[in-house]
Amino acid sequence: MNLSVFTRNIPPTNKVYQIEDLENWDHPGPSLAVLGHPIAHSLSPVIHNAALQEMGGEFKNWRYYAFDIPHEQLPEALVALHINNFVGINLTIPHKVEALDLVATIDPVAERMGAVNTLVKLEHGYHGKNTDGYGIETALQQDLGATIAGSDIIILGAGGASRATVVQCLESRCRKVWLGNRSVDRLEALVESIGGPNERLETFALGDPPSGRIPDDSILINATSLGLKPEDPAPADLQRLPQNLRVYDMIYNPPETALLAQARQLNYPAANGLSMLVHQAAKSLHYWTQATVPVQAMFAAIQAKS
Ligand code: NDP
């Protein structure tokens, strides 16, 4: 068989596309995409295309592309992507929340998380899901040997990533979430958005954790953006928290934040957010293909890139 008929129209996947490119989209197989603004830094095309290549077979003509789509173009972009046989879409900043109003149907857990990061094509429109919760739960297990069920979990931050994590922890039967944030307004808004206070969710101001009441050996997750800049301090001082924490920082670039450096000094198990990134991607790809996803190929692709 002459494979060139399948490959000759396939554009390179390290390119960033715009909405105008959808006017003459001629990829011959099913397409996948991540939409964001900015998007050039995204590792998603590298991760997904490595997995698709490894999967081969019926997926050999599938490709995953990055699209730079500003906020105001999202509704139009989703229509154009649907027409052009984009069978799956990932959404990142700034689209995860707005897309809730643009999907045809939505998974109830994603609705509780208040955000969708994965769209699955239906006949009319897209079904919205959220794989960030799966990503963090699998990452904690893989990197720290930590199980959410039955654990006390300290979560720092009250933005979108925090909300998905809080919902996942409650869904997965943690013992209790201890939720801390700098701005109290945002902290309260998060709690209200998921049904108000309850006995398995206690809040605190970031600088004043109730350390005496949180058990040793809890899991600590940084879901703030403090640490994204190499010079950023840690969002919390581990010396002022319970002992023997298992520490997960959702930030993966830089690979070692001040929080992770302190955790290592204390000999605490610690990991950065790379594994969450890969596992949420793997779950999305599974939803789109219904196939077993080669997670190791995804990790290998990221390591080769960095
Ligand atoms: P948001 O912008 O929605 O939330 C940011 C949070 O960080 C808020 O709680 C904010 O607190 C807090 N924060 C920001 N600056 C400071 C500061 N100087 N001191 C203390 N707290 C601060 O971001 P997201 O929820 O989308 O993302 C949070 C982090 O998680 C990011 O670093 C992101 O890169 C990472 N992430 C990683 C993923 C992965 O796959 N590994 C997936 C998703 C996110 P306040 O309310 O007081 O402003």
Side-chain angles (χ1 to χ4, degrees), residues 158-178:
S162 168
R163 178 166 165 184
T165 305
V166 172
V167 169
Q168 186 71 28
C169 290
L170 296 173
E171 292 279 326
S172 294
R173 316 298 311 160
C174 69
R175 200 191 76 83
K176 186 162 178 172
V177 171
W178 306 81

Side-chain angles (χ1 to χ4, degrees), residues 3 6 16 65 101 108 164 202 263 266:
L3 286 178
F6 293 109
V16 172
Y65 302 93
D101 294 330
E202 182 167 332
L266 291 166

Side-chain angles (χ1 to χ4, degrees), residues 1-10 28 57 60-61 63:
M1 186 168 42
N2 179 5
L3 286 178
S4 64
V5 294
F6 293 109
T7 54
R8 70 176 172 229
N9 289 329
I10 296 176
K60 70 175 180 292
N61 294 318
R63 291 293 182 280

Side-chain angles (χ1 to χ4, degrees), residues 216-218 220 234 236-247 256-270:
D216 289 349
D217 303 310
S218 296
L220 180 137
D237 181 358
L238 295 177
Q239 302 275 22
R240 296 189 53 221
L241 285 163
Q243 294 187 1
N244 298 324
L245 297 176
R246 288 158 288 171
V247 179
E256 181 157 289
T257 58
L259 180 73
L260 291 181
Q262 193 186 17
R264 283 187 214 287
Q265 269 172 7
L266 291 166
N267 275 329
Y268 291 176

Side-chain angles (χ1 to χ4, degrees), residues 93 96 132 157-162 181-183 186 206 223-226 228 250-252 273-274 276-277 280:
I93 292 170
K96 286 187 187 186
D132 282 338
S162 168
N181 194 49
R182 177 181 61 174
S183 112
R186 204 153 176 202
L206 199 54
T224 76
S225 45
L226 194 59
L228 281 175
M250 285 193 186
I251 293 170
Y252 52 84
L274 202 59
M276 177 181 176
L277 178 77
Q280 61 79 27

